Amino acid sequence: MLGLWGDDAVRVEQLSGGVANDVWRVRVGGRLAVGRLGGRSDADLAWETELLRYLDREGLTVPVPIPTADGRLFADGLVVMTHLDGGPPETQADWRRVAGTLRELHRLTRGWPQRPGWRSSTDLLHAETGTKIDLGAMPPEGVVRCRAAWARLVGRETCVVHGDPNPGNIRLTADHVGLIDWDESHVDVPDLDLVLPDNAAGLDDAAYDVAAQASAAWEAAVCWDDDYSVKRLAEVRPV
């Protein structure tokens, strides 16, 4: 399938990509790139690839989809993207740079359409399912706590959130803050991206509490029911 990107396209080494995707460092047209094969729908991949192209045009450092030889941005679930250099944030100053980049993402994507099949946190006040989330699989008391956390976000402006700005998904250099792995990106309230180490986003106490509770509830629901999701649910206060 990689041959759709040219006769010289080859796999170099497998990368850690989680359980949902098969991710490889590849070489396309003589340059390093990243290939990701998963089970996403064409509509889902179209949303993600168009978002990344837009963000690149607007000056954010993101993986840019490399078209196939016949111009497609993905084929049979495979996306090939540019490779980003850099390492994870290590200092409070680094994380403040990350916060600034996330806020720029949020500014650039106000009013963006929802990722096909996804729900926002406030949608889940009434909906039961959305992509990876099935509230019916969670303990009813846990759903009540999660929904109470999300209810505090009602009325906020929405935009694209990265969805998983952990150190492994950040590529920091002196010149840029790159964000990779947009698998969890969708339209939601920006607070979900801003629960960062040492409160690098500079939220006041009340805003940080709202964001931290909503984020813990989201991660509990989207991953249910592995050890991590159980731990995150335990952080969501009883109603």
Side-chain angles (χ1 to χ4, degrees):
M1 195 188 309
L2 193 57
L4 294 171
W5 277 261
D7 293 339
D8 65 344
V10 293
R11 293 193 296 188
V12 177
E13 63 177 330
Q14 192 165 19
L15 302 173
S16 59
V19 296
N21 298 296
D22 189 14
V23 184
W24 286 75
R25 186 172 285 119
V26 300
R27 193 175 300 277
V28 174
R31 59 176 173 165
L32 278 179
V34 174
R36 188 193 74 201
L37 178 63
R40 301 273 189 180
S41 69
D42 283 358
D44 183 287
L45 292 175
W47 184 94
E48 181 185 0
T49 52
E50 289 299 337
L51 170 69
L52 293 173
R53 294 176 80 200
Y54 165 74
L55 295 176
D56 174 64
R57 291 195 300 269
E58 293 295 325
L60 264 63
T61 302
V62 298
V64 182
I66 299 171
T68 62
D70 60 4
R72 288 176 287 168
L73 297 180
F74 53 89
D76 298 324
L78 177 62
V79 185
V80 177
M81 296 167 281
T82 54
H83 182 273
L84 297 188
D85 293 323
E90 297 176 349
T91 67
Q92 189 173 27
D94 289 345
W95 279 107
R96 283 198 294 269
R97 290 176 63 201
V98 173
T101 297
L102 289 167
R103 284 205 160 100
E104 182 67 359
L105 161 68
H106 302 155
R107 183 188 72 80
L108 289 168
T109 57
R110 291 175 188 144
W112 203 264
Q114 183 59 277
R115 191 169 191 156
W118 283 70
R119 306 278 190 180
S120 70
S121 51
T122 52
D123 288 337
L124 291 168
L125 295 176
H126 310 288
E128 289 283 327
T129 60
T131 310
K132 297 181 179 181
I133 291 178
D134 178 6
L135 296 182
M138 296 181 71
E141 181 269 341
V143 175
V144 169
R145 285 156 56 197
C146 288
R147 282 177 162 164
W150 297 328
R152 299 167 76 189
L153 302 175
V154 169
R156 306 282 183 93
E157 187 173 44
T158 62
C159 58
V160 173
V161 295
H162 177 274
D164 191 17
N166 72 70
N169 290 336
I170 299 165
R171 296 290 182 267
L172 201 71
T173 71
D175 300 320
H176 70 240
V177 177
L179 298 172
I180 67 168
D181 193 355
W182 291 76
D183 262 15
E184 302 296 326
S185 59
H186 64 285
V187 170
D188 216 313
V189 176
D191 303 54
L192 295 178
D193 269 348
L194 298 177
V195 186
L196 301 174
D198 300 317
N199 189 21
L203 303 179
D204 65 36
D205 289 348
Y208 188 87
D209 183 70
V210 169
Q213 285 287 292
S215 177
W218 177 269
E219 292 193 358
V222 83
C223 299
W224 193 263
D225 61 350
D226 60 16
D227 291 343
Y228 179 74
S229 65
V230 171
K231 175 186 172 187
R232 294 297 275 157
L233 183 59
E235 297 171 23
V236 182
R237 285 191 295 272
V239 177

